[in-house]
């Protein structure tokens, strides 16, 4: 079963709990719907796209589809790579 990573949409972390303030991982079937809320506190969360799930072609696919790749520079600090 694939692992999906989620993180609170609240970048400040004020509304997020310990669980979703940083990334958390959820085992989900490919067919199951994405989480929209933290299972612990109910804060809105977003799915993170990991290189792991997409494999080596991720960067190309992401650029083609207009996504931005966020590179984790430090704890809680993300920088756009493109
Ligand atoms: Zn939470």
């Amino acid at each position: 079963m694939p692992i999906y990573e989620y993180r609170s949409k609240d970048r400040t972390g004020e509304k997020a709990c310990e669980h979703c303030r940083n990334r958390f991982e959820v085992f989900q079937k490919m067919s199951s719907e994405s989480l929209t809320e933290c299972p612990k506190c109910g804060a809105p969360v977003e799915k993170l796209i990991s290189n792991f799930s997409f494999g080596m072609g991720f960067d190309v696919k992401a650029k083609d589809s207009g996504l931005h790749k966020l590179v984790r520079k430090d704890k809680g600090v993300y920088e756009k790579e493109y």
Side-chain angles (χ1 to χ4, degrees):
M1 211 175 336
I3 298 172
Y4 294 99
E5 285 187 301
Y6 291 90
R7 189 184 58 187
S8 171
K9 284 183 180 174
D10 182 5
R11 293 287 185 271
T12 63
E14 283 172 12
K15 291 170 192 162
C17 70
E18 287 291 319
H19 189 58
C20 61
R21 186 172 299 139
N22 298 304
R23 316 164 161 224
F24 61 98
E25 295 173 344
V26 181
F27 284 98
Q28 283 188 301
K29 291 178 187 169
M30 293 287 273
S31 56
S32 58
E33 288 187 23
S34 302
L35 289 181
T36 54
E37 309 181 328
C38 171
K40 299 220 172 179
C41 71
V45 294
E46 61 191 352
K47 187 190 273 185
L48 303 175
I49 300 170
S50 71
N51 288 326
F52 176 75
S53 358
F54 280 80
M56 297 297 284
F58 171 74
D59 284 9
V60 176
K61 283 183 206 162
K63 277 181 185 169
D64 285 351
S65 59
L67 289 173
H68 296 286
K69 181 179 174 184
L70 296 177
V71 179
R72 190 168 185 180
K73 295 291 183 190
D74 200 352
K75 195 176 181 186
V77 180
Y78 290 82
E79 198 168 274
K80 274 182 187 174
E81 194 172 86
Y82 51 78

